[in-house]
Amino acid sequence: MGGLGDIGGTSDFQFARRFFCRELPDEFDDGDAPTLIVQSYFVHEDDYALRIRLQTRAVRVPMSAGLDPKAVLERYRDDFREATLTVKGPSRGGTRYEAQRSIDSRVAAEIMLRGGDLIIKNRTSVWIGADGWNIDVFGGANAPLVIAEAERSTPVTNLIIPRFCITEITDQSRFSNDSLSWRPFSQWGSEFERELRETGPQFQQVFGTNTLE
């Protein structure tokens, strides 16, 4: 279901819980183009980040391991009409400092083509019950990673967790977009899968009552 945009609060803090998934459920693909996001990280150290993001729903680009984010940006640069500059702090307890402002998309594209570490993904934003969720399907070196994120304007407690969420990755910095920009999932995904087999799914217990669908 497209058209909802990014779901979340408007303050300088992001409240979210994040989950590893296997795929985007078919029920959420209504045939419309998801939000194509290409973003570049110019600082990514100790969970602090400086990011420029371009996004559009004017084109549909399937995610694959062979996808080159820079090539996509060069090909569709005129279709990206929305750009933001964002600074981020470390994530602690599902809360992360995040302040952003809109910038000119043409300037953003020129800067991104000249530097930074790029990632690419398709985002589908949906309502599940009373909560807004963003489901990101990654391409390039991060394929076939899929991450679902529930966001609120206040801490995300007493959450109904959909069945397509395999295990919780809230506050795991290796799954943050800034970390994925320089240490992609393809470099350590097999290690994570081994951990998952050994420990089984994990859901944090500090956010009130978890209700599993």
Side-chain angles (χ1 to χ4, degrees):
M1 295 181 183
L4 292 178
D6 287 355
I7 301 169
T10 57
S11 73
D12 284 348
F13 286 90
Q14 178 190 50
F15 302 97
R17 291 179 66 182
R18 309 177 79 229
F19 301 86
F20 172 80
C21 307
R22 294 294 183 195
E23 59 187 359
L24 173 70
D26 291 339
E27 63 194 278
F28 298 140
D29 185 357
D30 59 6
D32 290 340
T35 301
L36 173 64
I37 295 174
V38 180
Q39 51 196 35
S40 185
Y41 287 86
F42 294 86
V43 175
H44 44 66
E45 186 173 356
D46 299 328
D47 295 330
Y48 291 91
L50 174 65
R51 179 194 77 195
I52 293 180
R53 169 187 283 178
L54 282 167
Q55 62 185 59
T56 182
R57 296 188 67 239
V59 295
R60 188 180 185 110
V61 178
M63 294 296 106
S64 68
L67 197 61
D68 181 353
K70 188 173 183 179
V72 172
L73 176 57
E74 290 175 330
R75 179 176 180 180
Y76 297 109
R77 60 191 301 171
D78 292 337
D79 293 295
F80 289 99
R81 301 297 177 87
E82 185 176 345
T84 54
L85 173 66
T86 305
V87 295
K88 290 173 171 278
S91 178
R92 299 289 185 268
T95 302
R96 189 175 193 185
Y97 178 80
E98 179 176 309
Q100 69 179 28
R101 59 157 293 177
S102 296
I103 60 175
D104 185 274
S105 60
R106 295 164 298 181
V107 173
E110 293 294 341
I111 293 174
M112 291 170 65
L113 288 170
R114 286 166 169 78
D117 294 321
L118 293 168
I119 65 170
I120 188 169
K121 60 186 179 180
N122 279 329
R123 168 165 290 180
T124 299
S125 298
V126 298
W127 290 100
I128 302 175
D131 285 300
W133 288 74
N134 290 319
I135 306 171
D136 290 343
V137 179
F138 289 80
N142 285 302
L145 180 62
V146 179
I147 293 176
E149 182 176 74
E151 293 189 25
R152 295 179 186 169
S153 58
T154 58
V156 182
T157 59
N158 302 322
L159 182 66
I160 298 176
I161 301 174
R163 62 176 59 90
F164 62 83
C165 294
I166 304 301
T167 192
E168 186 160 5
I169 56 173
T170 300
D171 292 340
Q172 291 194 34
S173 60
R174 60 181 171 176
F175 282 101
S176 68
N177 283 250
D178 36 303
S179 180
L180 292 171
S181 73
W182 67 273
R183 187 170 179 257
F185 185 67
S186 58
Q187 294 184 6
W188 50 271
S190 58
E191 175 186 341
F192 168 74
E193 292 286 1
R194 183 170 58 254
E195 293 174 10
L196 185 58
R197 288 193 300 270
E198 292 174 353
T199 64
Q202 304 289 317
F203 298 96
Q204 294 197 25
Q205 304 300 312
V206 297
F207 298 111
T209 301
N210 293 323
T211 302
L212 303 179
E213 278 193 337

